[in-house]
Amino acid sequence: MGTVLDALVGAVLAVTLVAMLVGRPPVGLRVPIVAVAAVAAAWRGLGDGPVWLLWLVGVVILVCAANLAMGIAVGRRIRPADPQVLRAEVLAAAAGDAPPEQILLGVAPGGALLLTGVRDEGAMLTHGCPICFLEDVVEGLVGPDAPVVAAYRRHVLGGTNRLVDLHRGVIDGRWHADLRPVRGAQRPFRPPFCPVHAA
């Protein structure tokens, strides 16, 4: 029985560790399952079970602590923003006298907006859906019914996060958009209140 339990809790913790390292932390029901597995692994490792279970629990705890510290550091760089004011800011920056060559737009798994090229810190909308906001800004720069918006939406609905890379054409100077993979958390934000992007 001990060997089966050791293998089971070890497998749960190993899968959790790999998921956290690729940017998919446990959420929902998986959190208590991981907590029970960690307690069982510590109990077995301190008892007559294998010592490697203790090492595995320690590594999982260290990765959780690092993720928490990173989340706190990122959270300090996020400011609340009214969607209309923020949209006007992005469009004004893109159409200004010295517009950026590239703007990266993205929505973090927690709903914060990345606006590289426009502002140094992220933004959390005071109301509305951040994914709808991103799509609206992209269409405002690239044009209505931009194909990149449909592709972005397919990724979100499929469970994969992406960045929208807006860049100016060398010849025409117009804005063009492509999708780029996200480094870190691949899980997209799923607003429960949005009829288009809700889970």
Side-chain angles (χ1 to χ4, degrees):
M1 176 64 181
T3 305
V4 174
L5 178 63
D6 297 340
L8 182 62
V9 296
V12 169
L13 292 178
V15 168
T16 300
L17 184 60
V18 169
M20 287 190 299
L21 290 174
V22 298
R24 293 181 179 265
V27 294
L29 183 60
R30 288 180 287 171
V31 172
I33 291 172
V34 171
V36 168
V39 169
W43 170 68
R44 290 288 300 153
L46 290 170
D48 57 355
V51 177
W52 59 264
L53 283 173
L54 284 178
W55 286 102
L56 190 55
V57 170
V59 172
V60 168
I61 290 171
L62 284 175
V63 171
C64 285
N67 285 345
L68 179 62
M70 191 180 313
I72 291 170
V74 169
R76 289 181 179 160
R77 298 185 62 208
I78 297 173
R79 302 283 180 259
D82 179 90
Q84 285 77 29
V85 173
L86 186 59
R87 182 183 190 277
E89 179 186 337
V90 174
L91 295 181
D97 293 335
E101 290 299 316
Q102 180 188 45
I103 298 174
L104 283 179
L105 297 178
V107 181
L113 284 160
L114 169 76
L115 303 151
T116 303
V118 178
R119 46 165 53 192
D120 292 333
E121 74 272 353
M124 185 67 77
L125 297 182
T126 54
H127 60 279
C129 171
I131 300 174
C132 288
F133 173 87
L134 180 144
E135 292 177 356
D136 182 48
V137 168
V138 171
E139 288 184 340
L141 291 175
V142 178
D145 302 318
V148 74
V149 170
Y152 178 79
R153 189 173 292 180
R154 281 193 302 274
H155 278 285
V156 169
L157 294 175
T160 307
N161 203 358
R162 287 290 180 263
L163 294 174
V164 178
D165 179 359
L166 292 155
H167 47 277
R168 295 166 56 80
V170 176
I171 298 172
D172 59 10
R174 296 176 57 197
W175 287 99
H176 302 273
D178 296 307
L179 294 182
R180 284 179 43 183
V182 174
R183 279 183 278 161
Q186 295 291 318
R187 180 174 50 90
F189 178 62
R190 301 300 290 271
F193 51 82
C194 177
V196 178
H197 303 108

